[in-house]
DNA sequence: CTGGATCCTGATGGATACTG
DNA sequence: CAGTATCCATCAGGATCCAG
């Protein structure tokens, strides 16, 4: 079973198979609608360029919605679309797995001291 | 809730938040133990260098196991460890989501013709 | 012949400075 | 505030080379 264009996992990976995208989604799931600066603060170490880039891609792919308020100072809000919300089970599984194995990896680290 | 070092999702993403890693795991889940060349054929468009690199990282992180048979011609088998197997729910969710939305994106494509 | 290391080149990511 | 623009470091792909 080769992993070609019709592979469901490949399709999913093409949309959210990127470290920063997952973290952006995490932020939107946890905190709801977020402004650019909220995301910037909420995701440690992401550069503005990367944040902009990934937000644009998520928007093009119909996963998030970008609402611009035509005012000064500028205000832009990002929120999940229905498609974006449908990704929640995946994020939930990643969260559960992380909780479980963060414990383990912290123990490992402790044992190595 | 900032996304710092103790964020479960960030931990998960740090281990498998890479396109090729997910596809490698997909291959191992679907086909069981695989040789280097099996993975190379099963994952369309991955370069040998990238495959080697990602396999090494997955091995270091304890997600896959690498068994070398000291024979000619060389033979190396990759399989999932217990930790690797515990990632199955995540892959399953990605698969389900992909199945659901591959339909949609194919319809969209059809409508644009 | 398989698995993978190396080299070179083009693409991508990060840090900073600047703008509407 | 929400991005661009710029420059530089690192990474990815392709071809080739090598050891068992």
């Amino acid at each position: 079973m080769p992993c070609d264009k019709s592979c469901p996992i490949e399709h999913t990976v093409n949309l959210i198979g990127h470290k920063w995208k997952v973290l952006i989604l995490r932020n939107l799931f946890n905190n709801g609608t977020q402004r650019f600066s909220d995301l910037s603060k909420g995701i440690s170490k992401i550069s503005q360029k990367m944040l902009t880039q990934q937000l644009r891609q998520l928007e093009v792919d119909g996963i998030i919605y970008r609402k611009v308020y035509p005012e000064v100072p500028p205000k832009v809000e990002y929120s999940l679309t229905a498609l974006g919300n449908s990704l929640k089970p995946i994020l939930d599984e990643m969260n559960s797995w992380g909780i479980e194995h963060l414990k383990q990896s912290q123990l490992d680290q402790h044992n190595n001291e």
Side-chain angles (χ1 to χ4, degrees), chain A residues 30-41:
Chain A
N30 281 348
N31 307 325
T33 299
Q34 294 268 282
R35 299 183 59 172
F36 186 88
S37 54
D38 295 330
L39 292 169
S40 196
K41 271 173 279 180

Side-chain angles (χ1 to χ4, degrees), chain A residues 44-96:
Chain A
S44 70
K45 309 241 177 128
I46 193 170
S47 66
Q48 292 180 326
K49 188 171 108 181
M50 184 55 38
L51 182 54
T52 303
Q53 223 173 69
Q54 302 301 315
L55 285 171
R56 287 288 180 282
Q57 278 197 36
L58 289 170
E59 188 192 358
V60 168
D61 290 335
I63 292 171
I64 65 173
Y65 172 65
R66 178 170 180 265
K67 178 164 188 182
V68 182
Y69 294 84
E71 54 185 52
V72 176
K75 180 175 169 184
V76 181
E77 285 184 346
Y78 293 93
S79 53
L80 292 163
T81 61
L83 183 62
N85 267 299
S86 70
L87 290 163
K88 191 163 193 309
I90 299 177
L91 273 284
D92 283 345
E93 282 298 340
M94 293 181 71
N95 190 51
S96 304

Side-chain angles (χ1 to χ4, degrees), chain A residues 101-113:
Chain A
H101 294 89
L102 202 50
K103 280 187 299 188
Q104 194 53 49
S105 77
Q106 281 168 351
L107 285 175
D108 291 350
Q109 233 177 312
H110 190 69
N111 290 337
N112 288 338
E113 288 172 357

